[in-house]
Amino acid sequence: MTATSFEKNWDAIVIGGGPAGSASSAILAEYGHRVLVLEREKFPRYHIGESMIPFTYGPMERLGLIPLMKSSVFQKKYSVVFISPNGRASQPFYFFNRYDRNTVAQTWQVLRSEFDQIVLDNARSKGAKVIEEITVKELLREGERVVGVRAQTKSGETVEFRAPITLDCTGKEAFTSVRNGWRIKDPYLNKVAVWTYYKGSKREPGIDEGQTAVAYVPEKGWFWHIPQHNDMVSVGVVAEGKYLTRGGVKDPKTIFHREVEENLWIKDHLSTGGSTGDYYIISEYSHHSRHCGSDGLLLVGDAFAFLDPVFSSGLMLALKSGVMAGDEVHKAIVERDFSPQRFADYARFMRQGVENMRKLVYAFYDPDFSFKKVIDKYPEAAGEITDCLSGDVNKDFGPLWAKIREFVPLPEDLPVGEPG
Ligand SMILES: Cc1cc2nc3c(=O)[nH]c(=O)nc-3n(C[C@H](O)[C@H](O)[C@H](O)COP(=O)(O)OP(=O)(O)OC[C@H]3O[C@@H](n4cnc5c(N)ncnc54)[C@H](O)[C@@H]3O)c2cc1C
């Protein structure tokens, strides 16, 4: 079936078949709504963002994905550890010290091409219609109201689809936020990431095999070290662009290998393995949208807010917002009311989560901050920090922020993204 022969009128249109789009369309299809997903790429497609945190469990459970995850080849992850440039490792933050070991506290390191295919197929199996290799170019409007999209197929044909509500799940490209002038860059979190994949490098023994290591380099940059299945490790460095390119170095491979010398643990762990030879570079300005949507339009996942990935919160936030958006849009369809105000609670809830994570990210990048100093003074902070690192972000972290503010300043909340 070609895109042009597809039904043109739907209950909901979802732009983007990543985790946010697949989650929201699965929920809507489960309610029995006719939902169309338009995805630019042909899946399976490459994507960065491979480490999950425990609170990804809830949305995956709601989507019916846990049995698949439990029987999958994906590497299990139980903790995160922080490594100083001289190679000294912190105590691991084990999620099972705070949450149930057999459910929430055990999470996964995934290969996104495989994981995203599973989540998209899950939406399909619940009844969502998915068209791949089609790019949304424009929103259709009647007055101020969004009434559908104009898209282009791979062969260049233009096709229009209509629905009373469109969900923008286009990831950090943030289709509508950019076009509407809603995108606000975070004033401080403007980093660059360079990464590759290693095979045959060193892994930790036992339950630490799948732990994420966050390994510092000077000037408050850091490496991620994410062990995956098939003896692969995803390893990348994140820092300010002017630090990474110092001396005029622009080539990702040269940048990467220069930084490996800056952390003894990373150097040692990679020493027995070899890179696949592919090196990636991306600018990863954190950003959020001034509005969560407008009449007939809702923003979900990274398209609403993209946060620096140091604590691996992206998948959790994408899936959680996808599920919540699915529920909220279902109510809107039933009540035939797509006014943006009805999504205000969704926006506040998602922003609260992003804000809590963002505060911990700011602390992390402050040269005067160390988890150890805070925990030495306030031992109970270890649990609170583990909760935030686990993605339990919709609770009151006021007591933790008060403790951390004794060491470093924390940012004020950003606007919540009220409906436009
Ligand atoms: C360097 C880096 C490291 C990261 N590490 C982690 C990590 O360890 N853990 C973690 O949880 N997160 C991580 N993330 C974040 C994570 O990748 C994202 O949060 C997550 O992918 C968001 O899901 P999404 O569905 O919102 O967007 P995406 O996964 O980006 O999906 C968006 C989809 O929309 C499609 N699309 C875009 N525009 C159009 C269009 N016009 N028409 C049709 N389709 C379109 C795209 O092809 C894509 O498939 C990282 C991000 C970066 C940059």
Side-chain angles (χ1 to χ4, degrees):
M1 204 170 177
T2 63
T4 43
S5 59
F6 255 82
E7 168 63 41
K8 299 293 181 290
N9 293 296
W10 297 85
D11 294 332
I13 294 170
V14 173
I15 318 174
S22 298
S24 47
S25 54
I27 297 293
L28 283 167
E30 211 166 48
Y31 280 119
H33 301 302
R34 297 163 53 258
V35 52
L36 176 68
V37 181
L38 301 172
E39 166 57 50
R40 186 180 54 204
E41 309 293 330
K42 174 81 189 139
F43 276 38
R45 55 102 175 86
Y46 177 78
H47 204 294
I48 189 59
E50 297 144 332
S51 188
M52 289 186 172
I53 52 177
F55 274 66
T56 322
Y57 194 93
M60 288 200 299
E61 190 170 42
R62 174 74 192 280
L63 292 166
L65 292 170
I66 295 298
L68 265 173
M69 293 303 289
K70 290 205 161 169
S71 62
S72 74
V73 293
F74 297 135
Q75 174 67 53
K76 292 187 176 67
K77 166 185 172 185
Y78 293 96
S79 60
V80 55
V81 68
F82 294 88
I83 318 267
S84 57
N86 65 11
R88 203 159 34 87
S90 73
Q91 286 299 317
F93 288 85
Y94 287 112
F95 308 129
F96 51 68
N97 287 338
R98 302 289 288 182
Y99 303 101
D100 176 37
R101 191 174 185 140
N102 295 315
T103 55
V104 179
Q106 181 244 282
T107 192
W108 291 273
Q109 313 281 21
V110 297
L111 196 60
R112 285 289 300 275
S113 51
E114 295 173 9
F115 177 74
D116 288 15
Q117 179 82 67
I118 290 172
V119 192
L120 185 61
D121 285 347
N122 183 57
R124 271 195 184 100
S125 73
K126 292 180 193 299
K129 290 283 173 283
V130 181
I131 309 179
E132 294 175 69
E133 297 183 296
I134 185 164
T135 305
V136 170
K137 297 283 187 188
E138 224 181 300
L139 297 177
L140 302 175
R141 293 175 195 274
E142 279 173 10
E144 288 299 299
R145 196 152 55 90
V146 174
V147 295
V149 300
R150 182 170 295 124
Q152 195 174 47
T153 65
K154 205 179 164 196
S155 54
E157 289 163 307
T158 296
V159 48
E160 291 185 359
F161 298 101
R162 288 180 174 260
I165 181 110
T166 297
L167 284 72
D168 178 355
C169 306
T170 53
K172 74 196 269 296
E173 287 176 48
F175 182 85
T176 53
S177 180
V178 169
R179 279 166 184 75
N180 290 344
W182 293 347
R183 180 141 95 167
I184 303 171
K185 285 182 172 178
D186 192 290
Y188 177 67
L189 301 174
N190 53 347
K191 311 291 174 190
V192 168
V194 178
W195 71 96
T196 185
Y197 294 84
Y198 265 67
K199 193 170 179 69
S201 54
K202 285 189 195 169
R203 297 162 91 92
E204 300 301 290
I207 58 162
D208 295 336
E209 182 184 1
Q211 80 184 358
T212 292
V214 174
Y216 292 90
V217 293
E219 313 241 350
K220 277 291 169 178
W222 55 280
F223 270 93
W224 75 73
H225 183 272
I226 298 176
Q228 296 177 321
H229 56 290
N230 290 340
D231 199 20
M232 298 298 292
V233 169
S234 169
V235 54
V237 59
V238 177
E240 303 230 334
K242 67 177 186 305
Y243 166 77
L244 289 179
T245 58
R246 67 193 180 282
V249 176
K250 294 261 166 21
D251 168 49
K253 180 176 177 181
T254 314
I255 292 174
F256 179 86
H257 288 285
R258 178 164 72 179
E259 295 313 317
V260 168
E261 298 298 317
E262 301 289 339
N263 187 289
L264 288 180
W265 188 97
I266 291 288
K267 189 177 173 184
D268 174 56
H269 276 66
L270 299 188
S271 63
T272 58
S275 161
T276 55
D278 297 319
Y279 291 83
Y280 303 80
I281 185 162
I282 197 170
S283 151
E284 41 151 83
Y285 248 113
S286 296
H287 62 77
H288 68 285
S289 177
R290 181 171 295 121
H291 301 298
C292 68
S294 59
D295 211 352
L297 174 72
L298 187 62
L299 276 49
V300 190
D302 280 5
F304 182 33
F306 170 74
L307 182 64
D308 185 290
V310 60
F311 298 136
S312 304
S313 51
L315 277 170
M316 181 276 291
L317 291 167
L319 290 169
K320 181 169 170 167
S321 65
V323 167
M324 191 171 179
D327 282 332
E328 293 302 314
V329 169
H330 160 65
K331 286 185 229 154
I333 294 173
V334 169
E335 291 165 23
R336 295 175 192 278
D337 170 11
F338 302 97
S339 59
Q341 286 69 27
R342 66 175 307 131
F343 300 115
D345 286 347
Y346 158 84
R348 267 193 289 276
F349 188 78
M350 289 315 303
R351 274 251 40 110
Q352 181 197 26
V354 174
E355 267 309 329
N356 279 327
M357 223 17 140
R358 180 171 163 265
K359 287 200 169 46
L360 203 60
V361 172
Y362 261 67
F364 170 85
Y365 280 116
D366 193 306
D368 295 328
F369 176 78
S370 93
F371 288 113
K372 187 171 180 313
K373 278 194 227 164
V374 179
I375 294 167
D376 281 351
K377 182 163 182 195
Y378 297 107
E380 73 277 16
E384 295 166 312
I385 291 168
T386 308
D387 292 359
C388 197
L389 292 175
S390 300
D392 193 359
V393 288
N394 283 104
K395 65 181 204 185
D396 179 15
F397 281 100
L400 176 62
W401 307 144
K403 290 169 195 134
I404 291 181
R405 278 197 170 102
E406 290 181 22
F407 297 84
V408 293
L410 291 176
E412 292 308 312
D413 289 1
L414 293 169
V416 296
E418 291 292 348

